[in-house]
Amino acid sequence: MILTALAVLLVLLLLSVPVAATLMVLALFLDQFFSPFPLINAMGDVLWSASDSFLLIAIPLFILLGEILVRTGIARGTYRSLESWLSWLPGGLLHANIATATLFSATSGSSVATAATIGTVAIPQGKDLGYNPRLFTGSIAAGGTLGIMIPPSINLIVYGFLTETSIPQLFAAGLLPGLLLAGLFVLGSALLCLWKPSLGGPSTHHSWRERIVGLKNLVPVLTLFGIVVGSIYAGWATPTEAASLGVIGALIIALSMGKLSWSVIIEALEGTMRTTGMIMLIIMASYFLNFVLASTGITRELSSFLAEAGFGPYLTLLLIIVMYIVLGFFIETLSLMVITIPIVAPIIISLGFDPVWFGILLILLIEMALITPPVGLNLYVVQGVRKGGPFNDVMIGAMPYVGMMLIMALLLVLFPTIALYLPGLLG
């Protein structure tokens, strides 16, 4: 039954059937051939229960927050400010790419939006200064992945919803690993450019006055991060309420900077509706598939197989990590999450691993899938923004950052406190 379900899933994905439809067709197929009861009769109740959670309202709100930031051009000032502080390092603007992506990750919650925003600002400047297009575009694609690790993160909300794990705990757990990963990106970029200067570009120097004056451009992003994350941990707002506060804050900031117009609002709302519709259809379909998997006993069969195989906790964890890396080559990230979490999470938790810690490790592996071909979404986003040049440049340029993510995964396994320290302070 497990092999049949996997075969049907892979066939549907290879046929490019939309993800939500793939999940629903697979659920109906398993119901028809492997369930002794007509599970389709419960579809209405299951789909409704998957979509009426107050927590899920945070998803369109965080998407709208990111859309407002992208369409009001706040990123350009932020990039210039961070460039003045970091472009003296070996690799020059590579570090501004990563640092700006880190800051925007702390507000948008979306890797694709972050990569598109930074790419739009950085790529023209990199071309003008003669940067090597490979590592330069690779740094943008990799920096964009931080959008789903550093809170607020839409993917962490989905993980928390599917596993019934505390969202504030997950947000706290993602902060240190996200910043550490950004630090690894900066360090790795600098070392690569020290080893082979042609991989980077010219380092530039700015006066202290220019740097200090430019700090005002960081205020909007840092203010929004303080509003969203600060209100959650101060106990003033739930994640959903914090997201709404972030949207209001973004509108006020954009208005005060003279960058808000009706066209911006309409475009932001249209983008939000498209993305939210896609995410909600996937979540609802995955919820019904999870119900079918549990009812037909597939989840129980897989858990029993792993338990009887006697692999041990860490060998099982290694197999799951390898599985995510391989599947990440072929399956879009959100789809990969909702397909696998209901099966994998119970196994991991039964082995004694912390669900909050595993959520962060999973997000790291999902980040890797964003920059590994052939389906790495951030690679296509950066290539689209780039508007020319071979796609191989972006793929090759992202590979060193995949290696840095593997180092980060090893650190998380060896030192779980990296993810669990801040949640432990919250209690």
Side-chain angles (χ1 to χ4, degrees):
M1 183 162 52
I2 295 174
L3 293 177
T4 302
L6 183 60
V8 172
L9 175 64
L10 291 177
V11 167
L12 291 171
L13 290 173
L14 289 173
L15 291 174
S16 299
V17 177
V19 174
T22 293
L23 299 178
M24 190 61 72
V25 169
L26 177 59
L28 295 174
F29 173 83
L30 294 174
D31 174 30
Q32 181 69 32
F33 292 99
F34 295 103
S35 173
F37 307 105
L39 300 177
I40 192 173
N41 293 341
M43 181 187 292
D45 288 338
V46 174
L47 294 183
W48 175 253
S49 63
S51 60
D52 72 341
S53 172
F54 176 71
L55 176 63
L56 292 178
I57 300 174
I59 292 176
L61 291 172
F62 279 127
I63 294 171
L64 180 57
L65 172 58
E67 288 280 343
I68 293 170
L69 291 176
V70 168
R71 298 178 188 281
T72 52
I74 293 173
R76 195 170 300 278
T78 304
Y79 187 84
R80 283 199 301 266
S81 178
L82 291 172
E83 174 201 345
S84 68
W85 284 92
L86 298 172
S87 59
W88 60 273
L89 291 167
L93 291 181
L94 297 178
H95 309 295
N97 296 345
I98 296 164
T100 307
T102 304
L103 270 185
F104 267 76
S105 297
T107 53
S108 74
S110 166
S111 287
V112 172
T114 301
T117 302
I118 308 308
T120 302
V121 174
I123 287 175
Q125 194 163 346
K127 284 181 179 178
D128 293 341
L129 294 175
Y131 273 77
N132 182 300
R134 290 183 173 178
L135 198 60
F136 192 83
T137 53
S139 69
I140 297 171
T145 66
L146 297 168
I148 62 173
M149 174 71 80
I150 298 175
S153 163
I154 294 169
N155 290 61
L156 280 175
I157 292 174
V158 173
Y159 174 85
F161 176 73
L162 293 176
T163 61
E164 298 182 357
T165 305
S166 165
I167 303 299
Q169 292 273 322
L170 288 169
F171 278 7
L175 186 57
L176 283 182
L179 294 176
L180 180 57
L181 182 58
L184 280 175
F185 286 168
V186 169
L187 177 62
S189 301
L191 291 175
L192 284 170
C193 293
L194 281 173
W195 169 64
K196 193 173 183 180
S198 61
L199 291 175
S203 299
T204 57
H205 294 268
H206 299 264
S207 67
W208 281 103
R209 181 182 181 278
E210 187 178 354
R211 291 173 176 173
I212 293 170
V213 170
L215 288 176
K216 69 178 186 295
N217 294 318
L218 305 183
V219 172
V221 177
L222 293 175
T223 299
L224 288 173
F225 178 76
I227 291 172
V228 174
V229 178
S231 63
I232 293 173
Y233 297 120
W236 299 338
T238 65
T240 302
E241 293 164 346
S244 64
L245 290 174
V247 171
I248 294 171
L251 289 171
I252 292 173
I253 290 171
L255 182 62
S256 66
M257 297 174 68
K259 296 182 177 181
L260 190 65
S261 65
W262 283 113
S263 63
V264 166
I265 293 174
I266 291 171
E267 289 173 2
L269 289 173
E270 287 178 348
T272 300
M273 287 188 288
R274 281 194 298 268
T275 306
T276 302
M278 175 195 69
I279 292 174
M280 286 303 303
L281 281 174
I282 291 174
I283 289 176
M284 292 168 68
S286 71
Y287 217 75
F288 182 64
L289 175 60
N290 300 340
F291 169 73
V292 173
L293 290 174
S295 300
T296 54
I298 291 181
T299 306
R300 185 175 58 256
E301 281 187 20
L302 186 57
S303 300
S304 299
F305 168 75
L306 291 173
E308 294 168 3
F311 290 142
Y314 283 96
L315 183 54
T316 302
L317 178 65
L318 177 61
L319 292 174
I320 288 173
I321 289 173
V322 172
M323 178 195 77
Y324 272 107
I325 292 173
V326 173
L327 290 179
F329 294 152
F330 308 105
I331 304 177
E332 185 271 331
T333 52
L334 182 62
S335 312
L336 180 56
M337 283 184 65
V338 298
I339 290 169
T340 59
I341 284 174
I343 298 173
V344 170
I347 295 170
I348 286 292
I349 294 169
S350 69
L351 292 172
F353 292 106
D354 189 287
V356 173
W357 169 84
F358 179 66
I360 301 307
L361 178 63
L362 172 63
I363 291 297
L364 178 63
L365 299 173
I366 295 297
E367 284 184 318
M368 201 181 302
L370 284 165
I371 56 172
T372 50
V375 187
L377 191 55
N378 277 20
L379 301 178
Y380 292 98
V381 169
V382 173
Q383 178 66 12
V385 172
R386 188 181 175 204
K387 297 177 181 177
F391 183 53
N392 283 346
D393 283 351
V394 188
M395 289 194 296
I396 295 170
M399 287 305 102
Y401 297 99
V402 173
M404 296 171 209
M405 288 179 172
L406 290 172
I407 294 172
M408 185 67 212
L410 179 62
L411 290 174
L412 276 174
V413 173
L414 295 177
F415 307 103
T417 308
I418 296 172
L420 297 177
Y421 177 71
L422 289 180
L425 293 180
L426 293 177

